[in-house]
Amino acid sequence: MADAADLTTSLLARPPRAVLEAFDLHVIAGPDAGAHRRLGPGRIRVGTAPACDVRLGDPTVSHLHCQLEIHGHGVHVTDLESTNGTFVDGVRVYSAELSAGGTVTIGATVLRLELTGEPVYVELSRADRFGRFLGASAEIRRVYAILERVAPTDATILIQGETGTGKEALALAIHEASEREGGPFIAVDCGAIAENLFESELFGHVRGAFSGAVIDRTGLFEQANGGTLFLDEIGELPLSLQPKLLRVLEMREIRRVGASTTKRVDVRVLAATNRMVARQVNEGTFREDLYYRLAVLEVIIPPLRARREDIPPLAAHFYQSFSGRSDPLPPEFLATLAARAWPGNVRELRNFIERSVSLGWVTRQSEKSMGLPTSAPPGLPASAPPGLEALLPMDLPLKEARELWTNRFESLYVSALLRRCHGNVTRAAELAGVNRRSLQRLMAQHGLRSGDGDDDADE
């Protein structure tokens, strides 16, 4: 038997948690007056649909009218493109913060938010990454905590987030954390397939099924058998094909176009979109039953501006990838990154770091932070680098000289960028931070062509 001194029980290590304050949602006017609901972690859907968390009987309320989510400073309200709109304290909103005591009016129903004084615990992961998906902020570790539980299962997951947040990277990380890791991971962009080819692309076809079907073709569901099929931009799926996808998700069997028999498939489906699918349901462009079948678990990746503490580690990761160096980024450069809004999210940050490494901006910032001379001593004008002064149009007035210098810069910049990208216009546009059409206009304006003479080779 153990000695009395050894009978101390060790406490189990508990996962870190964020503490929020619970809210009560009271219906103070409308057909459901008197009803109330405690708001906890996660999104609360309000509407007349049977699957809503707060289901109302008000006929002036949309199927999926709005959603509520607790944050550290209150409750975030988002309108889901409802017919009659969502009003916070009398002001129509599409997205707003609601504090304790505030009211939300939807149709003829008025909701009031009240603090309960009770804590709500939100579990956070201890990890600073999920597979190849990086981030250590509380917002993203909240997502990790959910995925660590469901990734090993076969649950269908709908990933939502703005463009550039890393939805495909997260989908691949889920696949690699599942029992299907050894199977195929097939990704398809639903917005990049012609509508008349969708069914054949997903389910395959048999010879003679339609004009041009000269051989049997295996669809993406069959190719992903034993693994994961990732349907990116699922909001672009044609309405006519949605019932067939719903049947596959429910029955786990497909029928090739032109075939008379079905075939069983063992596929886990992950879907992603930068649209709010609930709004598409209200608009009638997305089936409600398919939405709920896809959103067995709904994961929303917060934009980069909502998790700014993730910017330094992401920037350091991209810097090391593009430069091959592991030295820390200069504080002035990180301060510049933190001050930007990043509407393109992680993809925009990645492109910015690659462009900065290519043009030497990071190196110059490092020399400046180390005290190395990067400009003339105080009191003396800075001189241009050797050879550059010859390009300055000193014989012209300032305004005309500036315009000529800008034109020369654009021509030199675009030429150098195209050479670096071996004539790939799309890649050059990504590095320049502009869309392809804008870069093509600049090329035409300055009489430039891609290096290989084939401007459309990368399309």
Side-chain angles (χ1 to χ4, degrees):
M1 293 182 63
D3 297 336
D6 298 328
L7 295 180
T8 304
T9 302
S10 298
L11 293 174
L12 287 170
R14 294 182 177 178
R17 298 181 297 177
V19 182
L20 304 176
E21 196 161 4
F23 286 82
D24 274 343
L25 188 68
H26 294 269
V27 182
I28 60 174
D32 303 282
H36 69 278
R37 166 72 187 262
R38 175 68 51 85
L39 300 186
R43 284 172 165 75
I44 304 296
R45 293 272 163 75
V46 182
T48 58
C52 282
D53 305 290
V54 178
R55 187 183 180 189
L56 302 172
D58 185 351
T60 60
V61 170
S62 297
H63 255 48
L64 298 172
H65 199 106
C66 66
Q67 68 181 22
L68 312 172
E69 184 177 15
I70 295 180
H71 288 282
H73 46 279
V75 173
H76 191 79
V77 183
T78 305
D79 181 72
L80 300 176
E81 296 291 341
S82 59
T83 301
N84 293 314
T86 299
F87 298 79
V88 171
D89 294 332
V91 178
R92 184 165 186 167
V93 300
Y94 291 98
S95 181
E97 298 296 332
L98 182 64
S99 303
T103 61
V104 179
T105 302
I106 53 175
T109 298
V110 181
L111 312 171
R112 185 176 64 219
L113 204 66
E114 294 182 357
L115 278 171
T116 66
E118 298 179 8
V120 173
Y121 299 101
V122 179
E123 185 177 339
L124 304 178
S125 171
R126 296 182 184 276
D128 60 359
R129 65 170 58 207
F130 187 76
R132 63 190 65 198
F133 193 96
L134 301 179
S137 61
E139 291 81 1
I140 208 67
R141 288 192 293 127
R142 181 176 176 179
V143 174
Y144 294 168
I146 298 171
L147 294 181
E148 286 167 356
R149 294 184 176 184
V150 300
T153 72
D154 279 342
T156 305
I157 301 175
L158 177 62
I159 305 171
Q160 298 195 65
E162 295 180 6
T163 297
T165 49
K167 297 183 288 296
E168 183 169 351
L170 189 62
L172 182 56
I174 294 171
H175 169 74
E176 293 173 343
S178 72
E179 300 292 332
R180 298 175 177 269
E181 180 184 8
F185 176 84
I186 305 294
V188 56
D189 185 349
C190 296
I193 304 175
E195 185 171 349
N196 61 329
L197 298 177
F198 245 115
E199 188 172 1
S200 172
E201 192 74 19
L202 290 182
F203 309 129
H205 62 253
V206 298
R207 179 181 177 183
F210 50 84
S211 177
V214 294
I215 59 172
D216 289 357
R217 185 180 187 280
T218 302
L220 294 173
F221 268 95
E222 287 186 75
Q223 294 176 34
N225 196 44
T228 303
L229 179 63
F230 174 55
L231 300 174
D232 198 9
E233 300 305 336
I234 189 66
E236 304 289 342
L237 189 69
L239 192 59
S240 60
L241 196 60
Q242 292 177 20
K244 297 178 181 179
L245 177 59
L246 178 62
R247 178 175 175 79
V248 174
L249 293 175
E250 291 179 342
M251 306 301 295
R252 298 294 169 179
E253 59 184 26
I254 58 102
R255 175 181 294 174
R256 290 184 178 183
V257 178
S260 57
T261 59
T262 60
K263 180 178 291 188
R264 298 285 299 177
V265 288
D266 175 25
V267 176
R268 182 186 193 175
V269 174
L270 304 177
T273 179
N274 60 7
R275 299 184 179 188
M276 190 166 285
V277 183
R279 289 177 175 172
Q280 292 183 268
V281 172
N282 282 336
E283 295 167 355
T285 59
F286 204 91
R287 289 177 60 107
E288 185 177 350
D289 49 0
L290 177 58
Y291 167 57
Y292 287 119
R293 187 63 186 81
L294 287 170
V296 174
L297 177 73
E298 197 168 3
V299 173
I300 298 184
I301 306 177
L304 194 57
R305 61 183 175 275
R307 49 186 184 103
R308 292 186 179 274
E309 57 266 48
D310 286 336
I311 292 177
L314 284 168
H317 170 74
F318 294 139
Y319 174 65
Q320 185 173 2
S321 298
F322 295 127
S323 69
R325 301 169 58 176
S326 57
D327 49 307
L329 290 168
E332 295 87 348
F333 186 73
L334 290 176
T336 301
L337 300 181
R340 295 187 59 161
W342 302 110
N345 294 294
V346 179
R347 182 185 295 122
E348 184 185 359
L349 174 64
R350 178 187 181 279
N351 291 343
F352 181 83
I353 297 298
E354 184 174 4
R355 187 162 64 250
S356 300
V357 171
S358 302
L359 298 176
W361 294 345
V362 182
T363 303
R364 287 197 292 272
Q365 286 281 358
S366 298
E367 292 172 347
K368 181 179 178 181
S369 64
M370 293 170 62
L372 298 177
T374 59
S375 59
L380 293 177
S383 60
L388 185 60
E389 197 160 299
L391 297 176
L392 298 175
M394 303 299 297
D395 56 326
L396 295 178
L398 176 61
K399 182 178 179 181
E400 295 177 21
R402 182 187 295 118
E403 291 175 353
L404 181 59
W405 177 262
T406 300
N407 287 332
R408 286 180 177 175
F409 165 77
E410 288 178 349
S411 179
L412 291 170
Y413 178 84
V414 175
S415 298
L417 203 57
L418 288 170
R419 285 196 300 272
R420 183 175 183 273
C421 297
H422 306 291
N424 188 314
V425 180
T426 299
R427 182 63 177 149
E430 289 178 355
L431 291 181
V434 300
N435 60 49
R436 178 188 170 87
R437 189 65 61 192
S438 298
L439 186 63
Q440 286 176 323
R441 280 197 295 268
L442 276 177
M443 291 168 60
Q445 179 181 337
H446 297 288
L448 302 174
R449 293 183 60 83
S450 57
D452 56 4
D454 184 7
D455 291 354
D456 299 321
D458 57 314
E459 282 191 324

